[in-house]
Amino acid sequence: MPEPQLTVRRNDERSRYEIDVDGVLGGYADFEQVSPGLVRFPETVIDPAFREKGVGTLLVDEALRDAAARGQTVIPLCPFVRHFLREHEVPGLNVQWPPAVGEA
């Protein structure tokens, strides 16, 4: 079975990064521009058909690399994005960690 064709793109109209799996939308990572140079990632959604196949990891990796290339600071609100950042380094990315739940 051939490897699926995965393509990540930034969709500014919908304020999200999207990943296509063989031409089908496999998921997206929403972003919110807080101010120039500051962006929040509140949610990542992966189609259940593509979970546990590395689709979300590739999506978030590409999205964060793009944010780094744009010189943006990222606020990771999404649990998936937070977990990714704890496990992987994204060269040049500035991260502004949100307070932990229960912190002021």
Side-chain angles (χ1 to χ4, degrees), residues 60-61 63-69 84-85 88-95:
V60 168
D61 183 52
L64 295 174
R65 287 179 185 277
D66 184 63
F84 180 89
L85 286 169
H88 303 89
E89 183 176 338
V90 179
L93 183 66
N94 295 313
V95 179

Side-chain angles (χ1 to χ4, degrees), residues 4-85:
Q5 180 68 35
L6 303 173
T7 307
V8 176
R9 70 178 170 279
R10 180 179 164 118
N11 182 336
D12 286 317
E13 280 186 19
R14 299 190 79 175
S15 296
R16 66 188 194 182
Y17 288 86
E18 301 170 336
I19 188 164
D20 285 342
V21 181
D22 291 331
V24 175
L25 181 64
Y28 57 88
D30 287 328
F31 67 87
E32 300 169 348
Q33 194 72 46
V34 178
S35 62
L38 184 62
V39 64
R40 280 191 290 244
F41 279 83
E43 179 180 42
T44 301
V45 176
I46 302 298
D47 184 307
F50 302 116
R51 290 187 185 152
E52 304 298 323
K53 298 180 181 179
V55 172
T57 299
L58 177 64
L59 170 62
V60 168
D61 183 52
E62 291 289 325
L64 295 174
R65 287 179 185 277
D66 184 63
R70 294 169 182 267
Q72 295 177 315
T73 296
V74 167
I75 303 170
L77 300 177
C78 169
F80 190 88
V81 174
R82 284 195 311 267
H83 177 77
F84 180 89
L85 286 169

